[in-house]
Amino acid sequence: MPLRVGVIGVGHLGKHHARILASLPDVELVGVVDTNRPRADEIAAANHTRPLYDAKELAGNVDAVTIAVPTETHLEVARSFLMAGVPVLVEKPMTRTLEEADQLIDLAAKAGVPLAVGHTERFNPAVEVASTLLTNPRFIEVHRLGAFPDRSLDIDVVFDLMIHDLDVVLSLVHSEVTAIEAVGVPVLTGRVDIANARLRFANGCIANVTASRISRDRVRKIRFFQPMAYLSIDYAAQKVEMWKLVRGQGAMPSIEGGEVDVPGDEPLKRELADFVDAAASKRAPKVDGAQGRRALALATEITCKIDSN
Ligand code: NAD
């Protein structure tokens, strides 16, 4: 029996949820929901499924849902599905506040169903390959820069863009953040458009994270320095480079390395496939509610530092 899945919110991102879920084996896309009726009709037609205009219409007809409505309604939309024992994937940022995130985590735990959070970069094949090569990063430099968007201007760049890298960094540095310095500047909107945070971890690692939505060039890079090795990830190109100091028999060590083989794939497809498998087998998804909350907590602390600066 295929897993019956519904997508709620088929705007910029949910449209891709619908496209991918319609193509996954062992999945039946039972419907797409959007309060914007023409949008629901358009995306349903493109994916040969039913348009619905209220998430309640999915009740009783789905085994799992993915939610890509604006963040302020994640809790409200997810609540009734979790209470009914339906596994949920909610887009990032998980919720507006940590209190809301705790409510979602509690509801999922009480119902005993998977709750996944859409931190898509974790499924980027370049990040997955790099995670097997990194052993002890001491310094991390992150740049996520983009041109001025026409969306998501109601939230700071920290919650919109930087949170992707905060989640990746937290997943690769196995240590607690002990100190944060941060600065953010509203340049074109009333919200923070460019931000930098310097994070110190208990194990001594430092991460310097920059996110901008007012840049001319699009950059999606993260660089790691660890003893005798340097590794860089280009998220967008799905490229990993690694260079290592190699001590041979001779007097002079050499530097060896170059591009590492990365099997290209669509990160969102991997994320949704992981969720579908987690929902079908009732296992924890790769990025669960606790990890979504962890990234949200760090983004919230950075924003507080920016506000107090
Ligand atoms: P969007 O505004 O383009 O789409 C949201 C859609 O939800 C709209 O079509 C809207 O009509 C619909 N909607 C609103 N309330 C609804 C409700 N109660 N029921 C059904 N439909 C409803 O927004 P977006 O850019 O697609 O962002 C959606 C979410 O995805 C946000 O939380 C955002 O942060 C996240 N996002 C994640 C990534 C990622 O890389 N993982 C990328 C972009 C956006």
Side-chain angles (χ1 to χ4, degrees), residues 145-164:
L145 318 176
F148 193 60
D150 56 2
R151 312 172 296 109
S152 305
L153 296 173
D154 54 330
I155 53 171
D156 286 355
V157 74
V158 174
F159 290 102
D160 186 25
L161 298 184
M162 188 186 280
I163 197 165
H164 285 290

Side-chain angles (χ1 to χ4, degrees), residues 9 11-13 34-35 68-71 74 91-93 118 120 151 164:
H12 170 76
L13 191 65
D34 205 297
T35 45
V69 298
T71 307
H74 283 182
E91 264 309 328
K92 62 76 352 225
T120 320
R151 312 172 296 109
H164 285 290

